[in-house]
């Protein structure tokens, strides 16, 4: 049996929550390996909607262990609020079903404040972050001044660490005309929240190694999408971590050989939240129609998503940089009834055709999409659970996309309900 990594093959919001929940029934352990509480997952189970941001999707499934790996930046206050919210919905979170890596970096109030202050100061040049402090927390991690989960276990040692952190942050705050943070205030805040986090702290790398040796099935859950990867995404309009499947190893403490199958998630069209290039965007009636049908609003922020046609070039590029074995195609039903569907099959850059998305920011702004038109279908795909229930033209569309992205469609999702899924390849089967 193969361990599976699930990643977004676009700019996030591809429907990973439902697919991870669907796969978690076959897994024993679900691991988050990067990002923070800036990426939301919506799960609909027996008519109940759960909105998760930081906790792995497996947390709502009895008998599953959820793990937050060292590659995640953890806002302890957001974590506590999410746990309390689940408790109000009847989901109990304890050490029996949640562990957090002791070497995971903490997001502090000063990170959120810096994130928001920078975006305001940037004006029209803002990146479009969620303002939750993810980027500044990763900066401190790389700058070797971060406070980590393990540091909360001995508050007497926090003084010098807070001093080193504030030497950096207070200089930035002065430059932005903001009041400095007092060390005593930050220490008091951490003292109050520490018990809520330490209850789940563990040496996650060792725990996962033991579980792997026992033959447990491990599902690695990524946040955002590969096109938001700090290295391989549309830089600088990206997130602050690596979102490619290779991060599942580094962000959990298990080696790359522990990942057997990589499943990429892609919508049957394309969406993006925030700023940045979007070659196939439809800032028109078509985009509005897709957005309305797909209920394209962010789980975490509530921000309206930009919508456009499927971009086969970008998905193919994500498949190659991510080592994706198969694609789970979601929201096919949103395209039901359209007379014409377009697919981006290439770009023109300065008059020349190219079949990849350039890395340079200025070149990204200049690319023009090349479309091929596809006849739509008048039947419905919503709720279909087998190929036989799909309109013939919808099947042709899926097969057409497979050819363009050079990767098989392993799963097809036809509604937010977890059972409305057509399985072609079980990722857990070698």
């Amino acid at each position: 049996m193969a361990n599976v990594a699930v990643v977004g093959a676009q700019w996030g919001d591809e429907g990973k929550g439902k697919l991870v929940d669907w796969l978690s029934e076959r897994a024993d352990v679900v691991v988050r390996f990067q990002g923070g509480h800036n990426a939301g997952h919506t799960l609909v189970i027996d008519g109940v909607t759960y909105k998760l941001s930081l906790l792995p999707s497996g947390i709502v499934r009895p008998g599953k262990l959820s793990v937050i790996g060292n590659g995640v930046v953890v806002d302890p206050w957001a974590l506590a609020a999410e746990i309390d919210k689940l408790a109000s919905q009847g989901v109990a979170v304890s050490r029996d079903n949640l562990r957090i890596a002791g070497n995971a970096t903490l997001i502090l109030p000063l990170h959120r404040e810096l994130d928001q202050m920078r975006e305001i100061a940037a004006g029209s040049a803002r990146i479009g972050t969620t303002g939750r402090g993810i980027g500044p927390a990763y900066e401190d991690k790389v700058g070797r001044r971060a406070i980590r989960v393990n540091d909360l276990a001995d508050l007497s040692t926090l003084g010098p660490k807070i001093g080193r952190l504030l030497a950096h942050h207070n200089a930035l705050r002065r430059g932005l005309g903001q009041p400095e943070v007092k060390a005593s205030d930050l220490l008091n805040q951490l003292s109050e929240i520490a018990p809520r986090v330490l209850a789940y702290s563990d040496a996650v790398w060792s725990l996962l190694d033991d579980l792997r040796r026992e033959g447990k099935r491990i599902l690695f859950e990524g946040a955002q999408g590969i096109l938001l990867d700090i290295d391989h995404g549309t830089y600088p309009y990206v997130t602050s971590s690596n979102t490619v499947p290779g991060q599942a190893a580094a962000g959990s403490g298990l080696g790359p050989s522990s990942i057997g199958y990589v499943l990429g998630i892609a919508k049957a069209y394309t969406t993006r939240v925030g700023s940045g290039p979007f070659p196939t965007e439809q800032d028109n009636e078509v985009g509005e129609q897709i957005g309305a049908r797909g209920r394209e609003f962010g789980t975490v922020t509530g921000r309206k998503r930009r919508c456009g046609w499927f971009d086969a070039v970008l998905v193919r590029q994500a498949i190659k940089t991510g080592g994706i074995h198969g694609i789970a195609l979601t929201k096919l039903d949103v395209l039901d009834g359209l007379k014409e569907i377009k697919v981006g099959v290439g770009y023109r850059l300065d008059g020349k055709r190219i079949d990849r998305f350039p890395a340079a920011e200025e070149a990204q702004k200049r690319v023009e999409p090349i479309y091929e038109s596809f006849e739509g279908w008048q039947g419905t795909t919503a709720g279909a659970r087998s190929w036989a229930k799909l309109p013939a033209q919808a099947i042709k569309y899926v097969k057409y996309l497979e050819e363009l992205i050079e990767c098989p469609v392993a799963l097809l999702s036809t509604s937010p309900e977890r059972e409305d899924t057509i399985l072609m390849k079980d990722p857990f089967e070698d």
Side-chain angles (χ1 to χ4, degrees), residues 10-89:
Q10 294 163 316
W11 280 295
D13 306 311
E14 301 96 347
K16 292 185 295 296
K18 170 197 164 172
L19 271 300
V20 169
D21 173 60
W22 190 83
L23 289 166
S24 69
E25 190 172 52
R26 296 161 173 77
D28 301 297
V29 186
V30 182
V31 183
R32 273 283 305 273
F33 59 83
Q34 53 80 215
H37 63 305
N38 54 337
H41 300 298
T42 300
L43 309 178
V44 181
I45 301 172
D46 297 329
V48 180
T49 299
Y50 302 94
K51 293 189 176 183
L52 307 176
S53 298
L54 183 58
L55 293 170
S57 298
I59 198 70
V60 299
R61 289 284 166 195
K64 311 296 180 182
L65 176 64
S66 290
V67 174
I68 296 176
N70 56 276
V72 178
V73 284
V74 179
D75 183 322
W77 295 274
L79 174 70
E82 197 166 319
I83 289 173
D84 291 343
K85 173 64 175 176
L86 283 180
S88 71
Q89 294 184 281

Side-chain angles (χ1 to χ4, degrees), residues 270-281:
T270 310
T271 63
R272 177 163 200 173
V273 171
S275 306
F278 186 167
T280 61
E281 181 175 11

Side-chain angles (χ1 to χ4, degrees), residues 270-336:
T270 310
T271 63
R272 177 163 200 173
V273 171
S275 306
F278 186 167
T280 61
E281 181 175 11
Q282 298 297 297
D283 189 12
N284 52 31
E285 185 178 342
V286 171
E288 290 290 333
Q289 184 178 10
I290 292 173
R293 287 185 176 186
R295 298 185 181 91
E296 295 297 350
F297 295 91
T299 300
V300 172
T301 63
R303 288 188 293 180
K304 186 177 180 180
R305 297 175 185 140
R306 300 155 62 190
C307 298
W309 298 119
F310 187 90
D311 191 326
V313 180
L314 280 175
V315 174
R316 184 172 64 241
Q317 197 159 315
I319 287 167
K320 293 180 184 298
T321 57
I324 291 172
H325 297 103
I327 285 288
L329 194 67
T330 66
K331 292 198 167 185
L332 183 65
D333 56 298
V334 173
L335 302 181
D336 288 354

